[in-house]
Amino acid sequence: MELNLTKPIIFFDLETTGINIAKDRVVEISILKVFPNGNKESKTWLVNPEVEIPKESSDIHGITNEKVVTEPTFKELAPKINEMIEGCDLAGFNSNRFDIPLLAEELMRAGIDFDMKNRKAIDVQVIFHKKEQRTLSAGYQFYCGKELVGAHGAEADTNATYEILLAQLDKYDDIENTVDALSEFSTHGKRADFAGFVLMNDDDQEIFSFGKYKGRTVEEVLKENPGYNAWIQNADFPLYTKKVLREIKERMSAPKETMSDEEKLQALQQKFNLR
Protein backbone atom coordinates (compact mmCIF):
# COMPACT_ATOMS: atom_id res chain seq x y z
CA MET A 1 0.00 0.00 0.00
CA GLU A 2 1.14 3.54 -0.74
CA LEU A 3 0.35 6.58 1.36
CA ASN A 4 -2.60 8.68 0.23
CA LEU A 5 -0.97 12.11 0.07
CA THR A 6 -2.11 15.54 -1.04
CA LYS A 7 1.31 17.10 -0.43
CA PRO A 8 4.80 15.77 0.38
CA ILE A 9 5.48 14.22 3.76
CA ILE A 10 8.84 14.14 5.56
CA PHE A 11 9.90 11.06 7.50
CA PHE A 12 12.89 11.95 9.65
CA ASP A 13 14.96 10.84 12.59
CA LEU A 14 17.45 12.65 14.81
CA GLU A 15 20.43 11.32 16.68
CA THR A 16 21.35 13.71 19.47
CA THR A 17 23.64 14.51 22.38
CA GLY A 18 20.82 13.61 24.81
CA ILE A 19 17.09 13.81 25.43
CA ASN A 20 16.67 17.32 26.85
CA ILE A 21 14.72 19.20 24.19
CA ALA A 22 15.82 22.63 25.36
CA LYS A 23 19.52 21.84 25.83
CA ASP A 24 20.62 18.92 23.66
CA ARG A 25 21.78 19.12 20.07
CA VAL A 26 21.49 17.11 16.84
CA VAL A 27 24.50 15.02 15.75
CA GLU A 28 22.80 13.33 12.79
CA ILE A 29 19.62 13.95 10.83
CA SER A 30 18.13 11.77 8.13
CA ILE A 31 15.22 12.89 5.95
CA LEU A 32 13.08 10.81 3.60
CA LYS A 33 10.74 12.99 1.53
CA VAL A 34 7.81 11.12 -0.02
CA PHE A 35 5.84 12.88 -2.76
CA PRO A 36 2.15 12.34 -3.64
CA ASN A 37 3.15 10.60 -6.89
CA GLY A 38 5.24 8.08 -4.92
CA ASN A 39 8.64 9.55 -5.75
CA LYS A 40 11.15 9.77 -2.90
CA GLU A 41 14.09 11.97 -2.04
CA SER A 42 16.46 11.29 0.85
CA LYS A 43 19.35 13.00 2.56
CA THR A 44 21.41 12.25 5.68
CA TRP A 45 23.81 14.64 7.39
CA LEU A 46 26.24 14.23 10.26
CA VAL A 47 26.18 17.40 12.36
CA ASN A 48 28.78 19.08 14.55
CA PRO A 49 26.74 19.90 17.68
CA GLU A 50 29.35 22.40 18.91
CA VAL A 51 29.13 20.76 22.34
CA GLU A 52 30.60 17.60 23.81
CA ILE A 53 28.78 14.37 22.94
CA PRO A 54 28.43 12.38 26.18
CA LYS A 55 29.86 8.87 26.08
CA GLU A 56 26.51 7.35 27.06
CA SER A 57 24.95 8.92 23.95
CA SER A 58 27.81 7.81 21.69
CA ASP A 59 27.40 4.27 23.06
CA ILE A 60 23.84 4.27 21.72
CA HIS A 61 24.19 5.77 18.26
CA GLY A 62 27.92 5.30 17.63
CA ILE A 63 28.59 8.95 16.79
CA THR A 64 31.62 10.32 18.60
CA ASN A 65 33.09 13.80 18.96
CA GLU A 66 35.92 12.80 16.62
CA LYS A 67 33.45 11.68 13.96
CA VAL A 68 31.67 15.04 13.71
CA VAL A 69 34.45 17.53 14.43
CA THR A 70 34.83 18.46 10.74
CA GLU A 71 31.10 18.19 9.89
CA PRO A 72 28.88 21.27 9.33
CA THR A 73 26.97 22.75 12.26
CA PHE A 74 23.18 22.68 12.34
CA LYS A 75 23.13 26.43 11.74
CA GLU A 76 25.05 25.86 8.52
CA LEU A 77 22.70 23.07 7.44
CA ALA A 78 19.49 24.78 8.58
CA PRO A 79 18.66 26.56 5.27
CA LYS A 80 18.97 23.28 3.32
CA ILE A 81 16.92 21.37 5.88
CA ASN A 82 14.25 24.06 6.03
CA GLU A 83 14.02 24.16 2.23
CA MET A 84 13.62 20.39 2.07
CA ILE A 85 10.82 20.26 4.67
CA GLU A 86 9.03 23.47 3.67
CA GLY A 87 5.34 22.94 2.96
CA CYS A 88 5.49 19.29 4.06
CA ASP A 89 3.78 17.25 6.74
CA LEU A 90 6.07 15.46 9.20
CA ALA A 91 6.33 11.86 10.40
CA GLY A 92 8.62 9.88 12.66
CA PHE A 93 8.91 7.39 15.50
CA ASN A 94 8.26 9.13 18.84
CA SER A 95 8.43 12.31 16.75
CA ASN A 96 5.59 14.19 18.45
CA ARG A 97 7.33 14.08 21.82
CA PHE A 98 10.97 14.29 20.78
CA ASP A 99 12.10 14.70 17.15
CA ILE A 100 9.71 17.47 16.10
CA PRO A 101 10.22 19.54 19.30
CA LEU A 102 14.01 19.21 19.07
CA LEU A 103 14.05 19.96 15.34
CA ALA A 104 12.01 23.10 16.05
CA GLU A 105 14.50 24.16 18.73
CA GLU A 106 17.48 23.71 16.41
CA LEU A 107 15.81 25.61 13.55
CA MET A 108 14.78 28.45 15.83
CA ARG A 109 18.30 28.66 17.27
CA ALA A 110 19.46 29.03 13.65
CA GLY A 111 17.08 31.96 13.16
CA ILE A 112 14.35 30.08 11.27
CA ASP A 113 10.83 30.66 12.60
CA PHE A 114 9.52 27.10 12.42
CA ASP A 115 5.91 26.25 13.24
CA MET A 116 3.30 23.53 12.64
CA LYS A 117 0.33 25.74 11.71
CA ASN A 118 -0.05 24.34 8.19
CA ARG A 119 1.42 20.90 8.83
CA LYS A 120 0.14 17.58 10.10
CA ALA A 121 2.25 15.23 12.22
CA ILE A 122 2.14 11.43 12.16
CA ASP A 123 3.81 9.58 15.02
CA VAL A 124 4.28 5.96 13.93
CA GLN A 125 5.23 4.96 17.49
CA VAL A 126 1.84 6.05 18.82
CA ILE A 127 0.04 3.96 16.20
CA PHE A 128 2.32 1.06 17.08
CA HIS A 129 1.80 1.39 20.84
CA LYS A 130 -1.96 1.78 20.50
CA LYS A 131 -2.07 -1.39 18.44
CA GLU A 132 0.77 -3.63 19.61
CA GLN A 133 2.90 -2.14 22.45
CA ARG A 134 6.44 -2.63 21.07
CA THR A 135 9.76 -0.85 20.33
CA LEU A 136 11.05 0.23 16.89
CA SER A 137 13.22 -2.86 16.31
CA ALA A 138 10.44 -5.16 17.47
CA GLY A 139 7.95 -3.20 15.38
CA TYR A 140 10.09 -3.61 12.28
CA GLN A 141 10.23 -7.35 12.90
CA PHE A 142 6.51 -7.52 13.70
CA TYR A 143 5.20 -5.52 10.73
CA CYS A 144 7.87 -6.01 8.09
CA GLY A 145 9.32 -9.40 9.05
CA LYS A 146 12.85 -7.98 8.98
CA GLU A 147 15.66 -7.45 11.43
CA LEU A 148 16.51 -3.76 11.86
CA VAL A 149 20.20 -3.61 10.92
CA GLY A 150 21.82 -0.35 12.02
CA ALA A 151 19.28 0.51 14.71
CA HIS A 152 19.95 3.89 16.33
CA GLY A 153 21.41 5.16 13.10
CA ALA A 154 19.26 8.01 11.78
CA GLU A 155 19.01 6.71 8.21
CA ALA A 156 18.13 3.12 9.21
CA ASP A 157 15.54 4.33 11.73
CA THR A 158 13.99 6.77 9.24
CA ASN A 159 13.54 4.18 6.50
CA ALA A 160 12.25 1.59 8.97
CA THR A 161 9.67 4.08 10.26
CA TYR A 162 8.38 4.71 6.72
CA GLU A 163 8.15 0.98 6.00
CA ILE A 164 6.35 0.33 9.30
CA LEU A 165 3.69 2.94 8.52
CA LEU A 166 3.00 1.36 5.14
CA ALA A 167 2.75 -2.07 6.80
CA GLN A 168 0.42 -0.65 9.46
CA LEU A 169 -1.91 0.64 6.75
CA ASP A 170 -1.91 -2.81 5.17
CA LYS A 171 -2.62 -4.52 8.50
CA TYR A 172 -5.27 -2.28 10.08
CA ASP A 173 -8.42 -1.74 8.05
CA ASP A 174 -9.78 0.68 10.67
CA ILE A 175 -7.00 3.25 10.12
CA GLU A 176 -7.86 5.60 7.25
CA ASN A 177 -5.10 6.20 4.72
CA THR A 178 -5.02 10.00 4.87
CA VAL A 179 -2.55 12.27 6.59
CA ASP A 180 -5.36 13.96 8.57
CA ALA A 181 -6.66 10.65 9.91
CA LEU A 182 -3.19 9.27 10.66
CA SER A 183 -2.21 12.50 12.40
CA GLU A 184 -5.31 12.41 14.58
CA PHE A 185 -4.87 8.73 15.43
CA SER A 186 -1.20 9.15 16.33
CA THR A 187 -1.76 12.09 18.67
CA HIS A 188 -2.29 11.48 22.39
CA GLY A 189 -3.71 14.91 23.09
CA LYS A 190 -3.89 18.36 21.57
CA ARG A 191 -0.88 20.50 22.39
CA ALA A 192 -0.32 24.19 21.83
CA ASP A 193 3.45 23.66 21.99
CA PHE A 194 5.55 20.66 21.03
CA ALA A 195 6.89 19.80 24.46
CA GLY A 196 3.47 19.65 26.11
CA PHE A 197 3.93 22.49 28.59
CA VAL A 198 0.88 24.18 27.06
CA LEU A 199 -2.11 22.00 26.14
CA MET A 200 -5.56 22.69 24.71
CA ASN A 201 -8.69 22.05 26.78
CA ASP A 202 -12.06 20.88 25.49
CA ASP A 203 -12.97 24.48 24.67
CA ASP A 204 -9.80 24.92 22.56
CA GLN A 205 -8.25 27.24 25.14
CA GLU A 206 -4.56 27.05 25.97
CA ILE A 207 -3.89 25.72 29.48
CA PHE A 208 -0.72 25.12 31.48
CA SER A 209 0.16 21.45 32.06
CA PHE A 210 2.67 21.99 34.87
CA GLY A 211 3.44 23.87 38.06
CA LYS A 212 1.18 25.84 40.35
CA TYR A 213 -1.09 26.91 37.47
CA LYS A 214 -1.56 23.42 36.04
CA GLY A 215 -4.99 23.11 34.39
CA ARG A 216 -5.66 26.86 34.31
CA THR A 217 -5.97 28.81 31.07
CA VAL A 218 -2.92 30.73 29.95
CA GLU A 219 -4.92 33.91 29.40
CA GLU A 220 -6.34 33.77 32.91
CA VAL A 221 -2.90 33.22 34.44
CA LEU A 222 -1.21 35.97 32.43
CA LYS A 223 -3.91 38.45 33.45
CA GLU A 224 -3.57 37.45 37.09
CA ASN A 225 0.24 37.18 37.14
CA PRO A 226 1.87 39.01 34.18
CA GLY A 227 5.31 38.17 35.56
CA TYR A 228 4.78 34.45 35.04
CA ASN A 229 5.38 34.76 31.30
CA ALA A 230 8.53 36.82 31.94
CA TRP A 231 9.80 34.08 34.25
CA ILE A 232 9.19 31.40 31.59
CA GLN A 233 10.87 33.51 28.88
CA ASN A 234 14.03 33.73 31.00
CA ALA A 235 13.96 30.13 32.30
CA ASP A 236 15.13 26.88 30.71
CA PHE A 237 12.04 26.18 28.60
CA PRO A 238 12.04 25.22 24.90
CA LEU A 239 12.15 28.13 22.45
CA TYR A 240 8.92 27.01 20.82
CA THR A 241 7.09 27.02 24.17
CA LYS A 242 8.29 30.57 24.73
CA LYS A 243 7.14 31.53 21.24
CA VAL A 244 3.64 30.14 21.87
CA LEU A 245 3.33 32.14 25.09
CA ARG A 246 4.55 35.33 23.39
CA GLU A 247 1.93 34.86 20.67
CA ILE A 248 -0.82 34.37 23.25
CA LYS A 249 0.28 37.52 25.09
CA GLU A 250 0.32 39.48 21.82
CA ARG A 251 -3.13 38.15 20.98
CA MET A 252 -4.42 39.29 24.38
CA SER A 253 -3.06 42.81 23.95
CA ALA A 254 -4.21 43.23 20.33
CA PRO A 255 -7.08 45.71 19.85
CA LYS A 256 -10.44 44.03 19.54
CA GLU A 257 -12.10 44.22 16.15
CA THR A 258 -15.01 46.64 16.04
CA MET A 259 -18.41 45.32 15.02
CA SER A 260 -19.88 46.27 11.67
CA ASP A 261 -23.19 48.14 11.55
CA GLU A 262 -24.93 44.91 10.54
CA GLU A 263 -23.40 43.05 13.53
CA LYS A 264 -24.45 45.87 15.87
CA LEU A 265 -28.02 45.68 14.51
CA GLN A 266 -28.09 41.90 15.00
CA ALA A 267 -26.82 42.32 18.55
CA LEU A 268 -29.52 44.86 19.34
CA GLN A 269 -32.20 42.61 17.82
CA GLN A 270 -31.03 39.73 20.00
CA LYS A 271 -30.88 41.94 23.08
CA PHE A 272 -34.40 43.30 22.70
CA ASN A 273 -35.83 40.26 20.91
CA LEU A 274 -36.75 42.33 17.87
CA ARG A 275 -37.80 40.87 14.52
Side-chain angles (χ1 to χ4, degrees):
M1 180 181 291
E2 292 296 326
L3 279 173
N4 180 15
L5 302 176
T6 57
K7 64 179 180 180
I9 187 168
I10 296 291
F11 287 80
F12 77 104
D13 184 72
L14 306 177
E15 302 302 332
T16 65
T17 59
I19 59 173
N20 185 309
I21 290 169
K23 290 183 176 181
D24 281 305
R25 301 292 188 265
V26 171
V27 297
E28 186 181 29
I29 177 171
S30 184
I31 294 174
L32 172 65
K33 188 172 186 177
V34 183
F35 294 87
N37 64 2
N39 289 345
K40 301 179 185 69
E41 175 186 349
S42 64
K43 185 66 179 177
T44 301
W45 293 278
L46 283 171
V47 183
N48 182 346
E50 301 182 281
V51 297
E52 193 79 8
I53 305 174
K55 183 179 183 302
E56 53 268 28
S57 297
S58 294
D59 288 344
I60 294 172
H61 50 54
I63 300 170
T64 62
N65 294 292
E66 294 75 20
K67 192 172 182 179
V68 297
V69 67
T70 60
E71 298 296 336
T73 65
F74 194 93
K75 188 172 184 178
E76 292 171 329
L77 291 171
K80 297 178 184 178
I81 294 170
N82 189 54
E83 181 181 3
M84 191 169 183
I85 70 174
E86 187 175 6
C88 301
D89 295 317
L90 300 177
F93 199 87
N94 193 32
S95 49
N96 285 355
R97 294 185 177 184
F98 183 73
D99 296 88
I100 292 176
L102 203 147
L103 176 65
E105 291 297 296
E106 287 280 35
L107 287 171
M108 293 177 72
R109 274 192 288 267
I112 295 173
D113 188 16
F114 176 84
D115 65 52
M116 290 290 293
K117 289 178 181 176
N118 297 311
R119 306 177 194 264
K120 295 291 185 179
I122 299 174
D123 193 329
V124 175
Q125 185 193 59
V126 176
I127 298 174
F128 185 26
H129 285 181
K130 282 185 175 181
K131 292 293 188 179
E132 306 296 342
Q133 305 294 314
R134 295 289 197 279
T135 63
L136 177 59
S137 294
Y140 196 54
Q141 179 65 47
F142 180 86
Y143 287 110
C144 304
K146 305 175 186 176
E147 181 181 351
L148 180 51
V149 178
H152 299 299
E155 185 173 3
D157 289 357
T158 295
N159 287 305
T161 299
Y162 172 60
E163 289 186 48
I164 288 172
L165 180 58
L166 298 183
Q168 286 173 332
L169 289 170
D170 281 328
K171 183 175 179 65
Y172 304 119
D173 294 334
D174 59 335
I175 299 181
E176 184 181 345
N177 184 4
T178 67
V179 170
D180 284 351
L182 289 165
S183 176
E184 183 177 354
F185 189 83
S186 64
T187 301
H188 282 298
K190 194 171 182 182
R191 302 179 178 192
D193 70 337
F194 295 130
F197 289 109
V198 184
L199 306 178
M200 305 297 292
N201 64 17
D202 292 338
D203 297 321
D204 273 341
Q205 298 171 310
E206 297 94 347
I207 61 172
F208 285 109
S209 67
F210 68 98
K212 61 183 179 180
Y213 295 123
K214 182 176 181 179
R216 293 184 60 183
T217 67
V218 173
E219 290 197 11
E220 180 185 30
V221 171
L222 296 188
K223 288 177 183 176
E224 178 183 311
N225 183 1
Y228 196 61
N229 179 54
W231 170 73
I232 291 175
Q233 296 297 330
N234 291 311
D236 189 23
F237 284 89
L239 295 176
Y240 198 88
T241 301
K242 296 178 181 181
K243 172 187 173 181
V244 167
L245 292 175
R246 286 197 302 269
E247 290 176 345
I248 294 172
K249 186 177 180 181
E250 290 169 3
R251 184 184 71 205
M252 291 169 60
S253 60
K256 303 296 182 184
E257 293 185 5
T258 57
M259 289 192 299
S260 65
D261 290 339
E262 183 179 352
E263 289 172 332
K264 290 178 182 177
L265 179 60
Q266 290 176 348
L268 285 172
Q269 288 174 336
Q270 291 174 354
K271 181 175 181 180
F272 295 105
N273 197 25
L274 298 177
R275 300 284 181 184

